[in-house]
Amino acid sequence: MIAFKAHIEQLPQNRNGYAYFEVEKRFVDQLPKQHKTRVICTIDEFYKFQCGFAHLGNGNCYIILAKTRLKELNKAIGDSIEVSFIADPNKLGAAIPESLQVLLDQDDALMRKFETFTDGMKRNLIRYVSDTKNLDLQVDRAIYMLNKYAKG
């Protein structure tokens, strides 16, 4: 486990103005695939989430903190946080929703399409499917994305 203290900062508007915290290169280099490693990040010993790194441009990386995360943490730009993270044992760095897993298990053609996706596209599909609670809509979204974006 890697642990350190950080401050919540804000990216410039030309980089979307997101809230983030910086992760020094020396910490990122300790991970199996350095900046390409997906991690499970814990903030202030209670708030866990799966994420990946983005390059800051000075050799260090950063992790974005969405507005909803800041609200749940009761934090703002300038606040300090205690951060820890470990390499995510899940290859995708995201849990596949049950509706999508059942669909893939039952349909070999859709599974083959899913397997053509990059890990990033798989995460996008997972987020798109998970954005709704309606199971029928989750299945419809999965089928739509798999048919539209699969290679081959």
Side-chain angles (χ1 to χ4, degrees):
M1 179 173 62
I2 298 166
F4 57 95
K5 291 186 182 202
H7 287 85
I8 300 171
E9 302 177 53
Q10 186 169 18
L11 289 169
Q13 288 305 315
N14 66 346
R15 293 184 74 182
N16 297 321
Y18 293 121
Y20 75 98
F21 63 89
E22 189 168 347
V23 182
E24 293 179 19
K25 183 180 185 320
R26 66 186 172 109
F27 296 127
V28 176
D29 285 348
Q30 294 176 40
L31 296 166
K33 296 188 321 189
Q34 290 82 34
H35 70 279
K36 292 181 181 179
T37 306
R38 301 290 299 178
V39 296
I40 298 173
C41 182
T42 304
I43 297 179
D44 291 345
E45 299 181 355
F46 78 92
Y47 189 87
K48 289 185 180 191
F49 60 101
Q50 294 170 298
C51 62
F53 298 103
H55 286 283
L56 199 53
N58 61 1
N60 294 339
C61 292
Y62 66 94
I63 294 176
I64 292 175
L65 294 173
K67 288 180 184 178
T68 53
R69 286 201 174 114
L70 288 177
K71 186 175 181 180
E72 290 168 353
L73 287 162
N74 196 28
K75 298 286 184 178
I77 305 296
D79 288 349
S80 64
I81 54 176
E82 291 185 28
V83 177
S84 65
F85 55 81
I86 59 169
D88 193 334
N90 179 327
K91 180 182 179 275
L92 285 179
I96 296 177
E98 185 178 355
S99 60
L100 176 58
Q101 189 63 60
V102 168
L103 181 67
L104 296 173
D105 289 344
Q106 293 178 352
D107 191 319
D108 290 337
L110 290 177
M111 177 59 90
R112 284 191 299 277
K113 289 180 180 187
F114 181 75
E115 289 170 351
T116 70
F117 281 24
T118 64
D119 288 348
M121 278 297 295
K122 288 175 183 175
R123 284 189 293 275
N124 286 340
L125 171 63
I126 289 166
R127 275 192 290 275
Y128 184 58
V129 168
S130 299
D131 278 349
T132 181
K133 301 289 184 217
N134 182 305
L135 291 177
D136 291 333
L137 186 54
Q138 286 182 355
V139 171
D140 290 346
R141 284 180 169 193
I143 292 169
Y144 169 78
M145 291 283 288
L146 288 164
N147 286 324
K148 182 169 182 170
Y149 297 106
K151 295 176 184 172

